Amino acid sequence: MSGTVQTETEVVALEHVGPARRGRKRLTPGERFIVFLALPIFAVVLFFVVLPMLQTAVNSTGGAGFLDNYASFLSGSTSRSLWTSVWISLATVAICAVVGTALAVLLTRFDFPGRRLLDVISVLPLALPSLIGALAFTLLYNETGIFPRALEQLTGIDAGVVSVTGVSGVLLVHVLTMYPYFYLSVSAGLAGMDTSLEEAAAGLGAPKWKVWLTVVLPMLTPAMVAGALLTFMTSMASFTAPQLYGVSMLTNRIVETRVSGNYELASAQATVLAVVSIVFLFLMRWYQGRQTYRSLSKGIQRGRTKTRGWRSVLAGLVSLVLAAVLVAPVAVIILVSFSKNRTWTTQVLPPEYTLENYLSIFTDPDAFLPINVSLQMAFFATIAAVVIGGAAAWIISRWPLRRGKGVLDAMVMLPWALPGTVIGVNIATAFASPTPTNFGLVLIGTLFILPVAYFVRYIPLVFRETTASIDTIDPSVDEAAQSLGASPLRSIVTVIMPLVWKGLLAGALLAFIDGVGEYVASAVVYPAGFPPMSIEIYNRIYSSDFGSAAAYGSLQIAIIFVVLLVMNLLERGPKGDDSTPVVAAAAGVR
């Protein structure tokens, strides 16, 4: 007993002595280099990420005044838009949880005809840019869409009865494009779960439903929370689906308010949307921290149960139907891209087809301009994100001081919690006119504002991917290089970079493809005369040039598939593996 007390006393003494000694420790040259490098890197992050958000909050107190601007959330259309955003996002989370979890359980625990095909196609929605995805569902299921018209001709049922419009349309687009967040995270959770826990519970007499309720679902809590977090924040940031289906969510309200010239009220709306997203982020992390379940045994995946008889036939038919539903959006975009503009009126499918949509894009300089703008702006933003995000990842992972690491990490990851509309408003507000906080830098009306907005939006992608790679490297590796005489910079170039380049490149490619398909922030900040590809797609839709719009969309999809193919080749193991890690990473920015 006395020995135990003595040991505890020694431990407590060490805990008190340790921090004091660490505080007096002199920094090594390598650690001083980290602190020195952090100054310019985080000055850039502060200038382009943090200060614009604070400037938006300050700007929201102008115009009619703080009280009037924020009082609009208590009554009127702004209040309804906020409420619509919240309840649609919660409904999206609930439905996606059911669909994504059910699909994950089906594909992870059962073997049936068509499983492999469905396994590949189930993540296809993540490869669709948001605007193209919403357009595809509109062409398929709207009142004038292919499916309702075909059903009307086959059965006589009025197309308006079976069409999906309004809030139902928004929910349909959200669920069919966001369920992969749950599917991927729950699949990963099930794959790492030791099934001996379920067998033990069943051996003690628990029925299957109770095993799932008391064993499986609690173990899946981290995966479910991660899926819910991504789904809610993506839904709150949704802009294109509400715009095409005519539903007023807060993101659309912000753009409408800015277009009307009431910048202060738009800043207040953007601030509230940012606060709601950040609060939900912290709530989910808090809940995840309280619900911690860990298995003490090794994760051995359970073999799939093979279906037989009529169940096998039924499962095969359901797989084919699901595969057709998931492939249909991409197929319809490619089909419509060959249709003649303004010839598709009341027919089920476009009546006339042509190559003119693609030819005009590559032969007409005005038609090629949006592609040029998107590729160049995404490229410059990616370069900046790689330099700043990669350096920030290394600085934070090797941060030598007791304080400051959490603040630096939050500064870089802040844009991840902000919807694209809010980022657009922040950048537009901060660089609208020369002020002391922007050092006289005015970007509104110039082409430079696009790469800045893309850089801010996608720097967390590069940071997260690079951090994941750096965290696998023991700090003693670069310390050993420096102890042998290499400078800190040389140890980064010759030791760290060769080990983390795949993670850095993966983050860069993700940032690039999202920059090419970016629409929400672009709608707020793009300069007149230089529309990015997504803006041009929307303009063509507005002009009823669906063939041209779909041709641009097909090019976006082709670019994304090429980049994802490159990433899969980079990340594939020696024996080859599935593409889940790549697509899961891509999921984080939709």
Side-chain angles (χ1 to χ4, degrees), residues 2 54 64 74 84 86 89 103 113 137 163-164 210 216 317 371 390 469 521 529-530 559 568 572 585-586 590:
S2 59
L54 297 177
L74 301 177
T84 302
V86 172
S89 298
L103 192 60
F137 284 107
S163 64
V164 184
K210 195 168 185 178
V216 179
L317 291 175
I371 299 176
S469 297
F530 295 97
I559 293 171
N568 284 334
R572 182 166 294 178
R590 298 286 172 198

Side-chain angles (χ1 to χ4, degrees), residues 560-570 572 582:
I560 290 172
F561 270 108
V562 169
V563 174
L564 289 178
L565 180 63
V566 173
M567 293 173 63
N568 284 334
L569 291 175
L570 289 174
R572 182 166 294 178
V582 175

Side-chain angles (χ1 to χ4, degrees), residues 49-58 271 274 278 414 418 422 426 430:
V49 176
V50 181
L51 288 181
M53 194 181 73
L54 297 177
Q55 181 69 28
T56 300
V58 171
T271 303
I278 293 173
L414 179 62
L418 300 179
V422 175
N426 289 348

Side-chain angles (χ1 to χ4, degrees), residues 1-68:
M1 181 69 181
S2 59
T4 305
V5 172
Q6 184 179 3
T7 304
E8 290 176 350
T9 306
E10 289 172 355
V11 170
V12 172
L14 285 174
E15 287 176 345
H16 282 288
V17 170
R21 287 179 177 172
R22 184 180 176 83
R24 291 194 297 270
K25 189 185 71 171
R26 292 175 62 87
L27 297 179
T28 65
E31 292 171 337
R32 286 198 295 273
F33 177 77
I34 294 171
V35 177
F36 175 78
L37 185 63
L39 296 178
I41 295 297
F42 286 94
V44 173
V45 176
L46 181 71
F47 186 69
F48 286 110
V49 176
V50 181
L51 288 181
M53 194 181 73
L54 297 177
Q55 181 69 28
T56 300
V58 171
N59 197 50
S60 68
T61 62
F66 175 83
L67 291 179
D68 283 350

Side-chain angles (χ1 to χ4, degrees), residues 106 110-113 304-316:
L106 189 68
F110 297 95
D111 189 14
F112 50 87
R304 293 186 177 89
T305 303
K306 194 172 182 61
T307 58
R308 300 183 186 282
W310 66 270
R311 292 186 180 88
S312 181
V313 175
L314 180 62

